[in-house]
Amino acid sequence: MKTFQQKVAVITGAGSGIGRELAIQLAQKGVHIAIADIQEEQLHETANLLVQYHVTVSTHVLDVSQREAVYRFADDVIARHKGVHIVINNAGVALSNVQVNQMAYEDFEWVLGVNLWGVVYGTKAFLPHLLKQSEANLVNTSSLYGLTAVAKAAAYCTSKFAVRGFTEALRQELCQTPVAVTVVHPGGIRTCIARNTRPATNGDIISNPEHAVQHFEQQAQTSAVDAARLIIEGIRRNTPRVIIGKDAKFLDLLGRLKPGSYDAFMLKHIVHEDEKAYAAAGKLETSQV
Ligand SMILES: NC(=O)c1ccc[n+]([C@@H]2O[C@H](COP(=O)([O-])OP(=O)(O)OC[C@H]3O[C@@H](n4cnc5c(N)ncnc54)[C@H](O)[C@@H]3O)[C@@H](O)[C@H]2O)c1
C-alpha cells in the first residue's frame, strides 16, 4: 500500500490487544477506522482512544463466527465509509489445555467458529469491496501455532493452520488483482489473550488460573505495540507473510527443518515447561502427554 492517508481500514477483535494497537497506529497514519468486537465496552474504549487522531471511526458489536452478522457488518461499513481499502481479520480465541480425546465438540466448534470461520466470512464479505479499489490489503491472523503444532492445543492449531492454508491459496488467486494478501504469524504477544482464554470443558484443571496468565505474560516476548507496527509495515510493503517475534521465527525454522520430528522439542520446552510452572503455583490435574 503506497499511502495510508484517507484510506479506510476494518479491524476485527479491536477491543483489545493487537487489534486495538492496529486501530491506534493506523489512525495515527490518517486511516479512517471501522472496528468490531464481541465485547461492546472494550470496543468503545478503543474508539475513545482514537478520538485524538481526527479520523472517522465507526464501532460495530459483532460476533465474527456469525455469517449473516459479518455480511451485515460489511454493508454497514460500506454505508458509513463508502468503501474499504484494508481488512484485518484479527479476532481470535484460545482454549486452555485439553487433549483431543477429552475435548468437547462444543469447545472445538467454538474455536473454529471464531478463528477460522470468522476469517473466512470476513474475507468473503469484504473481498468484492476490496477488489473495487486501485490498491487494497487483506490481512488474516494465524499464529506461531499455524506453523508448528503443539499438544493440548489441537483446536487452536487446526484453526490457525487452516487460516494459513486459506490465506495462501487466496493469495495466489488474487495475484493479478490490486488486493495484496498477508498472513500473520505472531509468536507470544503480551495481550489479554490468556485472560480471555476459555477453560476447556474437560481440560486440565489449573487451580491458580491467574498464575497461568502471568506465566504466559512472562513468556510472551513481544508487545502489542511492536506486533501492530510490524503488521502495518507488512501492509505497507505488501508482504505475503509476517512472522512476529524470535519465538515464531524459531518455530517456523524448526517446522521446516524437522517437519516430522519436532514433537520432542515441543513436548519438552513448551508443554512440560507450562505444566511445571502451573504445578509450582498450585494444583494441576492433568493426564500426561
Ligand atoms: N497474543 C498472542 O500471543 C498471539 C499469538 C499468536 C496469534 N495471536 C492471534 O492474534 C489475534 C489477536 O489476539 P490478541 O493477542 O490481541 O488477543 P486479545 O484477547 O487481547 O484480543 C482478541 C479480541 O478478539 C475479540 N473477540 C473474541 N471473540 C470474538 C468474536 N467471536 N467476534 C468478535 N470479536 C471477538 C476479543 O473480545 C478481543 O477483544 C488472535 O487471532 C490471536 O489468535 C495472538
Side-chain angles (χ1 to χ4, degrees):
M1 174 147 299
K2 292 193 194 82
T3 55
F4 282 98
Q5 198 75 29
Q6 298 302 325
K7 295 284 177 22
V8 175
V10 166
I11 307 157
T12 66
S16 167
I18 301 171
R20 175 175 282 178
E21 276 303 324
L22 284 165
I24 292 170
Q25 292 183 31
L26 284 169
Q28 285 168 346
K29 293 185 183 308
V31 177
H32 303 295
I33 307 286
I35 45 174
D37 203 286
I38 199 167
Q39 301 197 64
E40 188 169 5
E41 203 173 313
Q42 289 182 225
L43 185 63
H44 288 119
E45 275 175 24
T46 302
N48 287 336
L49 294 170
L50 303 181
V51 171
Q52 58 185 306
Y53 303 114
H54 306 293
V55 294
T56 305
V57 177
S58 61
T59 55
H60 309 259
V61 178
L62 173 72
D63 179 349
V64 295
S65 70
Q66 301 302 310
R67 190 197 306 176
E68 285 174 9
V70 176
Y71 277 79
R72 276 198 302 277
F73 167 49
D75 289 346
D76 290 349
V77 169
I78 299 305
R80 180 72 201 272
H81 295 270
K82 311 296 175 220
V84 58
H85 306 85
I86 301 169
V87 172
I88 308 178
N89 288 305
N90 162 80
V93 289
L95 187 68
S96 67
N97 299 346
V98 61
Q99 297 195 41
V100 172
N101 206 18
Q102 274 86 42
M103 197 192 312
Y105 275 105
E106 293 72 21
D107 288 345
F108 207 152
E109 286 163 0
W110 173 67
V111 174
L112 290 187
V114 178
N115 291 4
L116 173 59
W117 284 109
V119 168
V120 174
Y121 300 152
T123 298
K124 282 179 64 66
F126 282 101
L127 192 50
H129 303 292
L130 292 175
L131 285 165
K132 289 181 187 156
Q133 306 295 346
S134 56
E135 59 169 359
N137 289 68
L138 173 72
V139 179
N140 289 338
T141 306
S142 174
S143 167
L144 77 168
Y145 294 134
L147 298 166
T148 49
V150 66
K152 297 189 174 184
Y156 189 78
C157 294
T158 303
S159 69
K160 295 299 188 178
F161 270 73
V163 166
R164 174 183 173 194
F166 172 74
T167 309
E168 291 186 359
L170 181 67
R171 194 169 74 214
Q172 293 170 31
E173 292 176 17
L174 297 181
C175 67
Q176 304 291 348
T177 76
V179 183
V181 178
T182 300
V183 61
V184 178
H185 297 279
I189 315 292
R190 290 186 298 277
T191 67
C192 291
I193 197 159
R195 283 183 200 282
N196 289 337
T197 294
R198 180 192 278 196
T201 309
N202 303 317
D204 295 347
I205 297 163
I206 296 168
S207 61
N208 186 347
E210 182 54 31
H211 188 270
V213 169
Q214 284 168 9
H215 175 63
F216 169 80
E217 287 171 356
Q218 277 161 12
Q219 297 292 310
Q221 293 178 354
T222 309
S223 68
V225 173
D226 284 344
R229 185 178 49 74
L230 291 166
I231 294 167
I232 293 169
E233 185 58 14
I235 295 172
R236 194 181 68 74
R237 293 168 176 259
N238 296 337
T239 310
R241 199 179 198 226
V242 174
I243 301 184
I244 301 173
K246 286 189 190 144
D247 47 357
K249 286 180 186 152
F250 173 74
L251 288 187
D252 178 41
L253 193 63
L254 185 69
R256 284 189 283 128
L257 292 177
K258 297 192 171 284
S261 56
Y262 63 71
D263 305 5
F265 177 89
M266 302 303 276
L267 286 169
K268 181 169 176 209
H269 293 283
I270 298 186
V271 180
H272 290 160
E273 282 306 309
D274 283 354
E275 285 176 356
K276 257 180 14 202
Y278 302 154
K283 195 175 72 177
L284 173 73
E285 288 174 17
T286 174
S287 46
Q288 291 302 307
V289 179

